[in-house]
Amino acid sequence: MNDRKQHVVKMAHQLFIDKGFQSTSIQDILDCSGISKGTFYNYFSSKNELLIALLKSLYQQVEKERKELLVGQDPSDIEIFIKQIVLQMEMSRTNKLSILFEEVNFSNDVELKHFIKRGQLKALHWLFQRFIDIFTESKRPYLLDCAIMFMGILHHNHKYYNYAYESNTSTHHIVRYSIERVVKMVEEVAEADDQLIPPEHIEHWLPENKNRNRTFHQNLYHTVLNLKNSLATVEQSKYNELLDFIQDELLHSKTPRKFLIECALSSLKMNQDQASFEKIELEKLDQLISAYFI
């Protein structure tokens, strides 16, 4: 988004909070942001598309900040997970997302409802993946159920805690309390070997994830191959081993070791000139690795 388009989205966001999405007209947005109707329609085909652009921007922001909290940290550290959830809830509160979602849910707009539903499924998918990080691959069969239950527990704990204490809401306390309940629940469900919804349903709900995995595999294979082809003869085997390690970890390991992958990538970057790597291909590899761990 260019600066002017971002300005329109920001002004519209405030109007949606103050007046409500349904009550805000396109003319209100034009008056508040100081643009012409032609400029508005050059940016967005409708008010719905503007709202979707706003939500996409907020989703990307929280995704980026959640990722930053993980940099250099152990993904299985539950304290990092608590920080990520607190960040997510604070972002939602600051941007009044619950108000927007309620309006969409009570509307008859199929496009917006579909977008919100997909956003919820993506949030569930992220949560499921983080539960695998925390509770290990051995608990995978039960972790989609537990992720769903955690979302419900967190939502209702937050709602009724607000009723009880109003302005004294402690997001961190609510999150920690909810997570501590789920830790016990995961152990109980795994011990009972009980399952309600198999994790494979994630692929049915978000089929593009499967296609994305296929595309990721292809891009990684070609990027690694191009890097190998650009290698100079000096210590070629050493760099081939590092590239093979990265590829094997990302494609064949059930739990790719992020720290070791980043160390291997760092070694390749440090020796970029000596190995005669193509800069653009090394940047592609860096981007692929970053995207994998989002």
Side-chain angles (χ1 to χ4, degrees):
M1 263 193 249
N2 62 43
D3 290 343
R4 198 174 184 198
K5 188 174 180 180
Q6 284 180 333
H7 171 71
V8 175
V9 171
K10 183 179 179 181
M11 294 299 101
H13 186 189
Q14 191 59 53
L15 284 170
F16 296 159
I17 291 170
D18 295 341
K19 298 184 63 173
F21 174 72
Q22 301 296 342
S23 299
T24 298
S25 67
I26 289 179
Q27 188 60 51
D28 290 332
I29 298 169
L30 301 182
D31 294 340
C32 187
S33 58
I35 62 167
S36 67
K37 186 175 287 189
T39 301
F40 177 89
Y41 283 110
N42 186 45
Y43 292 152
F44 311 102
S45 62
S46 64
K47 189 173 68 168
N48 286 1
E49 188 178 315
L50 189 157
L51 177 58
I52 288 173
L54 165 64
L55 293 174
K56 281 182 178 178
S57 175
L58 293 174
Y59 290 162
Q60 288 167 359
Q61 177 188 336
V62 79
E63 210 172 84
K64 176 178 176 291
E65 292 182 14
R66 280 189 321 214
K67 181 183 173 186
E68 287 172 352
L69 285 172
L70 265 177
V71 173
Q73 303 295 328
D74 180 358
S76 67
D77 186 348
I78 210 159
E79 295 300 323
I80 301 300
F81 179 64
I82 289 173
K83 289 180 181 178
Q84 289 179 310
I85 297 297
V86 169
L87 164 76
Q88 191 169 294
M89 292 182 69
E90 289 296 329
M91 186 278 285
S92 179
R93 181 186 60 79
T94 302
N95 292 285
K96 305 291 192 297
L97 290 188
S98 60
I99 296 172
L100 292 175
F101 292 157
E102 281 179 20
E103 276 211 76
V104 171
N105 286 334
F106 283 108
S107 76
N108 294 318
D109 194 289
V110 176
E111 179 190 18
L112 282 177
K113 284 187 173 182
H114 178 70
F115 179 81
I116 297 296
K117 178 182 176 181
R118 292 191 61 74
Q120 292 169 340
L121 289 173
K122 288 179 180 179
L124 176 62
H125 181 260
W126 175 82
L127 195 56
F128 170 64
Q129 293 294 336
R130 290 296 286 119
F131 273 21
I132 293 174
D133 290 337
I134 295 165
F135 300 109
T136 75
E137 189 72 28
S138 64
K139 302 287 197 311
R140 173 187 277 268
Y142 319 103
L143 294 181
L144 180 59
D145 290 339
C146 292
I148 292 168
M149 288 188 280
F150 173 69
M151 291 177 85
I153 289 169
L154 185 62
H155 172 74
H156 287 288
N157 280 345
H158 187 255
K159 177 180 177 179
Y160 291 103
Y161 193 95
N162 281 343
Y163 287 171
Y165 299 104
E166 296 181 355
S167 61
N168 296 320
T169 301
S170 171
T171 304
H172 190 275
H173 178 60
I174 297 167
V175 172
R176 180 175 293 280
Y177 178 89
S178 302
I179 288 173
E180 286 174 354
R181 305 290 74 76
V182 170
V183 170
K184 301 288 186 184
M185 189 169 64
V186 170
E187 295 302 324
E188 180 186 331
V189 172
E191 186 177 343
D193 192 21
D194 202 3
Q195 186 184 65
L196 184 64
I197 304 175
E200 291 72 25
H201 276 270
I202 284 285
E203 289 188 359
H204 297 309
W205 293 336
L206 298 169
E208 73 274 16
N209 282 351
K210 194 171 183 179
N211 294 332
R212 191 181 298 123
N213 287 341
R214 189 180 300 115
T215 302
F216 174 81
H217 287 197
Q218 292 172 346
N219 288 340
L220 181 63
Y221 173 80
H222 288 299
T223 301
V224 168
L225 182 62
N226 289 339
L227 283 167
K228 286 182 176 180
N229 289 338
S230 69
L231 276 171
T233 54
V234 180
E235 296 188 271
Q236 185 172 351
S237 61
K238 169 187 171 183
Y239 302 121
N240 273 331
E241 286 175 6
L242 288 171
L243 289 166
D244 286 339
F245 170 77
I246 292 173
Q247 184 168 292
D248 288 343
E249 279 288 303
L250 292 174
L251 298 187
H252 306 303
S253 173
K254 287 185 177 180
T255 53
R257 294 165 290 183
K258 184 181 178 184
F259 174 72
L260 295 180
I261 291 171
E262 288 177 342
C263 285
L265 178 63
S266 178
S267 180
L268 293 173
K269 286 180 176 178
M270 287 172 61
N271 294 281
Q272 179 178 333
D273 293 335
Q274 182 183 359
S276 299
F277 284 131
E278 291 286 344
K279 183 179 180 182
I280 190 168
E281 294 297 334
L282 200 55
E283 287 175 352
K284 282 183 185 176
L285 181 61
D286 192 359
Q287 291 166 5
L288 284 167
I289 291 170
S290 296
Y292 183 91
F293 288 107
I294 286 177

